[in-house]
Amino acid sequence: QSALTQPASVSGSPEQSITISCTGPSRDIGDYHYVSWYQQHPGKAPKLLIYDVSSRPSGVSNRFSGSMYGNTASLTISGLQAEDEADYYCSSYPLTRNLYVFGTGTKVTVL
Amino acid sequence: EVQVVESGGGLVQSGGSLRLSCVASGFSFSTHSMNWVRQAPGKGLEWVSYISSSGSPKYYVDSVKGRFTISRDNAKNSLYLQMNSLRAEDTAVYYCARDAYGYYMDVWGKGTTVTVSS
């Protein structure tokens, strides 16, 4: 099971906006709208940020938003803050394959 | 507080076995499907296995099929992962994660570390 493709790193200055992409074949991501995003700080467990492409769980800042076009999902962080420095992973659930696929992960650096 | 707590990790020789446990609290465990997700040192997340709320069906990533078995005991609010024929490439932090009523994982434990020595 191949991973979804994410950029290895993305950086931005405080208060800027950045976008992380997540791409894969249609059978893994494009045919479904079951994309989720997770944030992971070093040595910590992943935390759910976005589900079903663009929905935000309660308690997650509205600075985090998700979208999707074709076979590419995106996570946008607005008003970048120092605490946003972490690794970010996308995930998809291709219904016909009965498994979760994660992205390769993106390290976000706040300059 | 809604939480899951893993245990059972440790150092084991290649070819050996280990059983991981995950105890849930603060929510109705028997109504949620559950997952194991692992992360090798310095690497990304990898989904390992899924079990439905009733215990069937179960799904596995190809690399562990035939070696790992996921199970649960709803009376004990517990999830398990029996790992046999362990390999060096199974070395990772193993996370227990609750499947939300949808296709995503909304509650994660802190993980338990498995190290397989060759």
Side-chain angles (χ1 to χ4, degrees):
Chain A
Q1 290 99 337
S2 299
L4 303 172
T5 301
Q6 299 180 229
S9 62
V10 173
S11 62
S13 300
E15 298 307 316
Q16 280 189 331
S17 293
I18 62 170
T19 297
I20 302 168
S21 61
C22 170
T23 302
S26 58
R27 72 178 186 133
D28 281 349
I29 184 171
D31 290 346
Y32 310 96
H33 279 222
Y34 298 129
V35 176
S36 51
W37 289 89
Y38 303 87
Q39 177 192 59
Q40 186 181 35
H41 287 104
K44 301 296 185 181
K47 172 189 173 184
L48 176 68
L49 288 180
I50 297 287
Y51 65 96
D52 293 351
V53 175
S54 60
S55 296
R56 233 181 358 260
S58 60
V60 172
S61 171
N62 58 10
R63 298 186 299 104
F64 295 94
S65 61
S67 62
M68 188 161 174
Y69 183 77
N71 292 351
T72 299
S74 299
L75 173 72
T76 298
I77 309 175
S78 305
L80 199 60
Q81 298 180 3
E83 67 206 49
D84 299 332
E85 195 162 281
D87 293 326
Y88 293 81
Y89 295 90
C90 62
S91 178
S92 177
Y93 192 92
L95 287 175
T96 57
R97 299 180 66 199
N98 293 320
L99 51 77
Y100 279 98
V101 181
F102 280 100
T104 49
T106 298
K107 181 176 181 59
V108 168
T109 300
V110 181
L111 301 173
Chain B
E1 180 188 4
V2 173
Q3 65 175 356
V4 293
V5 179
E6 307 93 335
S7 62
L11 176 62
V12 62
Q13 286 192 329
S14 180
S17 298
L18 214 53
R19 188 197 197 204
L20 305 184
S21 299
C22 168
V23 177
S25 59
F27 66 96
S28 179
F29 178 75
S30 63
T31 65
H32 282 271
S33 299
M34 297 293 294
N35 297 275
W36 287 100
V37 176
R38 68 184 177 184
Q39 187 169 35
K43 303 297 183 181
L45 300 174
E46 179 185 38
W47 171 81
V48 174
S49 185
Y50 161 100
I51 186 169
S52 74
S53 58
S54 65
S56 181
K58 305 174 185 179
Y59 304 124
Y60 302 90
V61 67
D62 285 347
S63 59
V64 308
K65 284 179 181 176
R67 300 188 300 122
F68 289 12
T69 302
I70 192 171
S71 63
R72 65 190 297 159
D73 185 338
N74 286 342
K76 295 182 178 180
N77 288 344
S78 294
L79 174 73
Y80 307 102
L81 186 67
Q82 178 66 43
M83 305 186 295
N84 298 331
S85 303
L86 282 163
R87 307 167 180 167
E89 54 264 37
D90 296 319
T91 293
V93 175
Y94 284 74
Y95 295 101
C96 167
R98 184 178 83 170
D99 219 63
Y101 297 123
Y103 301 102
Y104 56 96
M105 292 171 264
D106 64 343
V107 178
W108 294 68
K110 295 182 178 181
T112 187
T113 301
V114 172
T115 303
V116 183
S117 65
S118 52

